[in-house]
Amino acid sequence: MPVDPESPASVKPLSFREAVWLWWKIGWLSFGGPAGQIALMHKLVVEQKKWISDREFLHGLNFCMLLPGPEAQQLVTYIGWRLDSIRGGIVAGILFVLPGALVLWLLAWLSMVAGETRWVTGVFSGLVPVVIAIVLSALIRIARKSLKHPVLWAVAGLAFVALFGFNIYFPAIIGLAALAGVLVHRAIPVLAASWVGSDHGVVPPEPSDGAASAHAGWFRILIVCLALWAFPIVASGFVFGWDSIFVKLGLFFSKVAVVTFGGAYAVLPFVAQAAVENYAWLSAEQMITGLAMAETTPGPLIMVLQYVGFVAAWADPHGMSPLLAATVAAAITTWVTFVPCFLFVFLGAPWMLKLQHVQWLRVALTFITAAVVGVILNLAVWFSLNAYQGETPEGRIFLVVLAVIFFAALQSGRAGVVPIVLLGAVCGLIRAVVGF
């Protein structure tokens, strides 16, 4: 078992069966977004099980922050890889996602078959202010952590203007932010380095035998992962036609998978605007409902993409029953969202020691993170503008007041995301019963 060579006494041996059980447990308990999920992993894997050291856990987290995609899912994949090579990474990553995928599928089906009933509509309306409060809270939290210099504030502002004012393509904003970071590093490397922060005194461990052997198999990993990534898209093309909703979803969310730097909140504006306005796969209200569902289920928030695929195919079942078509589309969407994560981890992990200390790359990622702040602001504005359309004046006041209360509760730290979501659902239900 690969371990931190400088702290062998602190690491306990484990069986593969024991590891599988723990990954399954983490998958069902991973509420609260990336911060809560990472904290849960640290508590169980480092503090209780002592399978890896605290230092290596932090090092793996830093590596996963460099990658596109959900960092919590990639971190659990990385830990599984460190403990039991590629099979450990595959099992850990799948079991982290599977519980949330199953629960979200059930909620999506419920929203489609019972969404027109009064009580279901009321519950989902109560989730609208919750989503707005969560996004605003995330915006403030990330801004405080990321914007350490006026230049970074300017990058965030320009990203917001580019998206909101000029509707510039999201990947282009990410690319321009990265390019700006590289140019700034070349022009003023010392100042740029001060914005990135230190490594907190962490000395990276030497690569394990398992990591070293992974260097030799990189080409095989690349071919297998790319084939798995493309398989459902190609199969859908032959079975359903190359212009089918399944191929469109597979291609679109494959593109999303490689530009999700900064987490789910960063890519959601791109997905929401494209899915609602460009492709008309679902309504703005349904998009907000899907995000609320993803907030209440275990697993990565990016699972909301599965909901988008489900609703899109439900409306365009391609000659099948709506439930079967939606299930196939949800599976394809989830597949092309997470298979790239395994590719990035398995290819990048053996080289992470070098990547962690490439200064120009760290500066570029700092600029990307700053741009993400502006992107999240655009998401908050987009949701706010679309959430209350069709509401009565009294209904708008009610929902705005709820959003302010929920936001204050989140900022104060007196309530977590799950209790807030449940409270919002209850408020929406009461509203439906009272009838205003």
Side-chain angles (χ1 to χ4, degrees):
M1 177 182 71
V3 298
D4 184 342
E6 294 192 14
S7 57
S10 67
V11 180
K12 295 181 179 180
L14 73 153
S15 67
F16 184 65
R17 179 179 296 181
E18 186 181 2
V20 169
W21 173 249
L22 185 69
W23 304 138
W24 182 243
K25 178 181 178 180
I26 288 176
W28 282 104
L29 298 177
S30 57
F31 294 93
Q37 293 158 1
I38 292 168
L40 174 67
M41 276 184 265
H42 185 273
K43 179 179 181 180
L44 295 179
V45 177
V46 178
E47 298 177 9
Q48 294 185 8
K49 297 294 185 180
K50 300 185 184 300
W51 286 346
I52 63 174
S53 68
D54 186 75
R55 185 182 65 182
E56 187 170 10
F57 182 90
L58 177 62
H59 189 58
L61 177 59
N62 289 339
F63 160 64
C64 293
M65 294 294 289
L66 294 173
L67 304 175
E71 62 267 27
Q73 191 267 347
Q74 289 168 332
L75 178 60
V76 77
T77 302
Y78 167 77
I79 295 173
W81 173 83
R82 280 293 276 168
L83 294 176
D84 204 32
S85 192
I86 287 180
R87 74 164 183 170
I90 292 173
V91 171
I94 290 175
L95 294 184
F96 184 76
V97 170
L98 187 58
L102 295 174
V103 175
L104 190 61
W105 175 89
L106 181 61
L107 292 176
W109 171 76
L110 178 63
S111 72
M112 298 309 295
V113 298
E116 297 303 320
T117 62
R118 184 175 179 180
W119 70 270
V120 172
T121 302
V123 167
F124 287 143
S125 73
L127 297 178
V128 170
V130 175
V131 171
I132 294 174
I134 290 173
V135 173
L136 288 175
S137 181
L139 171 65
I140 293 175
R141 182 175 65 252
I142 296 173
R144 286 174 176 172
K145 181 179 179 180
S146 307
L147 306 182
K148 301 176 180 179
H149 190 275
V151 170
L152 300 180
W153 281 96
V155 171
L158 289 172
F160 171 74
V161 171
L163 267 174
F164 186 76
F166 297 96
N167 200 27
I168 294 178
Y169 204 40
F170 171 76
I173 293 175
I174 296 297
L176 289 173
L179 177 61
V182 173
L183 295 177
V184 169
H185 171 71
R186 290 179 63 89
I188 45 174
V190 176
L191 181 59
S194 69
W195 305 340
V196 174
S198 66
D199 289 330
H200 306 287
V202 175
V203 179
E206 293 298 321
S208 65
D209 293 338
S213 65
H215 284 291
W218 71 269
F219 185 72
R220 181 174 57 186
I221 293 171
L222 178 65
I223 295 301
V224 170
C225 287
L226 288 178
L228 290 173
W229 188 353
F231 172 75
I233 304 175
V234 176
S236 296
F238 282 113
V239 174
F240 303 110
W242 297 101
D243 195 42
S244 67
I245 185 67
F246 308 105
V247 173
K248 292 177 181 177
L249 288 169
L251 291 175
F252 176 74
F253 288 112
S254 292
K255 178 170 57 178
V256 170
V258 300
V259 297
T260 51
F261 292 97
Y265 286 118
V267 76
L268 278 175
F270 170 55
V271 172
Q273 291 181 334
V276 174
E277 298 174 7
N278 298 343
Y279 296 104
W281 286 334
L282 72 175
S283 67
E285 293 78 10
Q286 288 175 319
M287 186 70 204
I288 296 172
T289 297
L291 181 55
M293 290 179 181
E295 292 280 9
T296 60
T297 53
L301 179 60
I302 200 68
M303 287 300 300
V304 67
L305 304 188
Q306 174 187 306
Y307 175 83
V308 175
F310 187 99
V311 175
W314 184 281
D316 183 15
H318 207 78
M320 297 185 287
S321 71
L323 178 59
L324 178 59
T327 301
V328 171
I332 292 173
T333 301
T334 303
W335 182 273
V336 300
T337 297
F338 290 102
V339 167
C341 296
F342 294 98
L343 171 64
F344 301 146
V345 171
F346 294 154
L347 281 186
W351 304 95
M352 67 178 179
L353 299 180
K354 297 180 181 180
L355 289 174
Q356 286 287 317
H357 301 286
V358 177
Q359 195 64 26
W360 68 264
L361 179 59
R362 298 180 67 195
V363 174
L365 288 169
T366 299
F367 271 65
I368 290 175
T369 303
V372 163
V373 174
V375 172
I376 297 173
L377 176 59
N378 179 71
L379 174 66
V381 173
W382 186 86
F383 275 158
S384 299
L385 292 177
N386 286 276
Y388 303 127
Q389 291 183 0
E391 287 284 351
T392 63
E394 295 81 6
R396 291 179 181 177
I397 294 173
F398 174 75
L399 295 176
V400 168
V401 170
L402 283 183
V404 172
I405 294 173
F406 295 154
F407 174 75
L410 289 171
Q411 286 298 103
S412 68
R414 296 177 181 175
V417 170
V418 174
I420 291 294
V421 170
L422 294 177
L423 180 59
V426 170
C427 290
L429 182 59
I430 294 173
R431 179 194 178 194
V433 172
V434 173
F436 73 93

